[in-house]
Amino acid sequence: MITVSKRRTGLMATAGALALTALGGTSYAATNDTGTHPEAQTQSPQADAQDVSDARIRITPGQGVHSLGVNDPVNVTVSDGRLTKVTMTAVATGTEVRGTLAADGTSWKANGPLKQATRYQVAAEAEDAKGRSATENATVSTVSPANDFLGHLSPENGSTVGVGMPVSFNFDKAIGDKAAVESKIQVSTSSGEQVVGHWLNNSRLDFRPEHYWKPGSTVTVRMNLDGVEKTVTFKIGRSQISTVDAKTKQMTVKRDGKTIKTIPISSGSAEHPTYNGQMVISEKYRQIHMNGATVGLTEKNGKPSYDIKAVPHAMRLTASGTFIHGNYWGGDSVFGKVNTSHGCVGLKDVRNAGDGKQPAAWFFDNSMTGDVVIVKNSADKATVSPDNGLSDWNMPWSQWVSGSASN
């Protein structure tokens, strides 16, 4: 589990039509799965004690802010260290925002203005006096032209995503008249598939076809909410379906139906098995901070069971914290041979994500948001809940259709 917080679900309300801002990224709806399910691979305690950096990075505004003004400041500061790299990029296009690093290396600020209704990812790296690295990340979104944040839509207009990316509306307040809101939204695809909406909870409405989107197709979302008409389009890229077999400890990557690579992995241990089921990559981080305390995993002295400052090549699979990521602390005796994690899927990697030939680097470079990762044969008897991240595909089609307010 990373230290990035999840977006809260809406409170009770009886809103009818709502203005909506088209933003990229994942849903942050709370999971309905029962029980604690921590999600990061364990680092050797001895290695962790040696590698912890004194540098502490702070990004302002923090993770998950949806109301950033186009002229509001975006700052990164560090204590007990120096910033070595800061990037701020638009999630959908990859366009980088220029910034200014202070001469003493202790702060960075974005050179505005930003674009409206755009999702940005800020990634910061720093070193302490002993050369030990630290990383921090935050994803923020700017306000819509109407400055109305009653709802958010992913994926972003103009983006290209994998075949598993649903259209996901997350409203800031629970919707009373679901049929009225759903009737104002039409989702269609150039491939002609039937696309149906389903209310995963009172504030989240997703749309998908019966099967994954057709590669190369274009999806169009038309909205007329609160008198504001908006059209969002995004493209479906190639099909990439990766299947993790927790029993054989191998991942098979298929591109457009053909196997292009088989990668040894390590998934969740018997105490913390990985979810079974279909999951979708919703976020990508070159490096990210993972801390056991964020999911209640602490030692008797109160310290986190693990605190890994720079987990390389991390890609989010669920809102509750399941990632597929690089692992530099596990030896060759781990990958393909034993399941050792707290629920994530680990691939062999090196520290600082610096070797593009490593399996984790290859998978990161060859994956996009919306790609599907399927886990099978895990000791966890439960299938990941459809509302845990973008796991919509785990719901049978008949049940999906019955959850539409238009029926």
Side-chain angles (χ1 to χ4, degrees):
M1 171 64 77
I2 64 168
T3 53
V4 176
S5 61
K6 305 183 189 72
R7 177 181 178 272
R8 62 174 176 80
T9 53
L11 301 177
M12 290 299 294
T14 55
L18 298 177
L20 200 84
T21 301
L23 297 172
T26 182
S27 76
Y28 294 89
T31 174
N32 282 341
D33 297 321
T34 58
T36 301
H37 205 290
E39 304 289 357
Q41 289 198 275
T42 307
Q43 185 181 36
S44 164
Q46 182 178 1
D48 187 46
Q50 294 173 346
D51 298 334
V52 172
S53 175
D54 291 331
R56 296 292 182 267
I57 301 171
R58 179 183 177 86
I59 300 175
T60 306
Q63 164 66 19
V65 170
H66 286 297
S67 56
L68 185 67
V70 295
N71 293 306
D72 287 351
V74 177
N75 298 315
V76 180
T77 58
V78 64
S79 59
D80 298 323
R82 291 173 58 89
L83 293 168
T84 56
K85 184 179 181 180
V86 179
T87 58
M88 181 175 181
T89 54
V91 172
T93 64
T95 302
E96 187 168 339
V97 176
R98 294 183 179 274
T100 301
L101 181 66
D104 62 2
T106 60
S107 65
W108 178 95
K109 64 178 180 179
N111 301 337
L114 304 175
K115 291 187 176 181
Q116 292 179 326
T118 301
R119 189 169 184 259
Y120 292 96
Q121 185 179 91
V122 183
E125 301 176 17
E127 288 185 351
D128 65 7
K130 296 181 179 180
R132 296 173 299 189
S133 64
T135 63
E136 199 60 69
N137 302 270
T139 304
V140 298
S141 302
T142 53
V143 296
S144 69
N147 194 30
D148 191 335
F149 270 77
L150 293 176
H152 309 277
L153 164 65
S154 68
E156 190 170 350
N157 187 39
S159 59
T160 298
V161 297
V163 296
M165 179 68 76
V167 174
S168 187
F169 290 83
N170 281 270
F171 300 98
D172 285 349
K173 295 181 179 180
I175 304 302
D177 191 345
K178 294 184 177 66
V181 172
E182 188 174 337
S183 68
K184 302 294 184 179
I185 303 170
Q186 289 81 42
V187 181
S188 61
T189 173
S190 61
S191 61
E193 300 161 278
Q194 180 188 14
V195 182
V196 176
H198 180 96
W199 290 88
L200 290 163
N201 55 46
N202 288 333
S203 59
R204 178 178 168 186
L205 169 63
D206 284 12
F207 289 81
R208 69 167 177 89
E210 181 175 2
H211 305 291
Y212 301 138
W213 304 100
K214 298 295 184 184
S217 61
T218 298
V219 179
T220 301
V221 184
R222 292 184 174 86
M223 300 162 279
N224 185 356
L225 296 169
D226 203 25
V228 177
E229 296 186 15
K230 184 187 294 288
T231 299
V232 170
T233 62
F234 62 92
K235 293 184 178 180
I236 306 300
R238 77 290 179 275
S239 170
Q240 183 162 300
I241 313 295
S242 301
T243 301
V244 173
D245 190 327
K247 185 176 181 179
T248 65
K249 305 167 188 64
Q250 301 288 326
M251 177 172 69
T252 302
V253 183
K254 288 190 175 183
R255 177 81 57 83
D256 294 324
K258 296 181 179 180
T259 299
I260 60 172
K261 203 170 187 66
T262 300
I263 302 174
I265 60 92
S266 178
S267 65
S269 67
E271 294 78 16
H272 304 288
T274 306
Y275 289 126
N276 282 296
Q278 302 170 74
M279 291 167 263
V280 173
I281 295 173
S282 58
E283 296 174 346
K284 295 179 65 179
Y285 297 94
R286 182 174 177 270
Q287 296 187 86
I288 199 166
H289 182 187
M290 292 188 179
N291 186 304
T294 63
V295 289
L297 275 183
T298 58
E299 304 299 323
K300 291 181 179 179
N301 59 8
K303 292 184 178 181
S305 298
Y306 52 83
D307 188 6
I308 310 174
K309 301 298 181 183
V311 177
H313 296 121
M315 293 180 282
R316 180 185 286 277
L317 298 179
T318 70
S320 64
T322 311
F323 278 74
I324 184 166
H325 63 71
N327 177 334
Y328 61 81
W329 52 93
D332 291 339
S333 61
V334 171
F335 305 101
K337 299 172 184 176
V338 61
N339 290 324
T340 61
S341 84
H342 280 80
C344 286
V345 177
L347 287 66
K348 186 174 177 58
D349 209 341
V350 296
R351 191 188 304 272
N352 297 324
D355 184 355
K357 296 180 180 180
Q358 293 295 318
W362 180 91
F363 188 64
F364 186 90
D365 292 341
N366 284 275
S367 297
M368 66 171 64
T369 56
D371 282 350
V372 178
V373 176
I374 302 172
V375 177
K376 66 178 184 179
N377 295 327
S378 172
D380 192 334
K381 301 304 181 184
T383 297
V384 61
S385 176
D387 68 345
N388 190 355
L390 304 176
S391 304
D392 306 49
W393 308 98
N394 294 290
M395 183 178 293
W397 181 242
S398 59
Q399 184 180 348
W400 183 270
V401 172
S402 68
S404 171
S406 61
N407 291 335

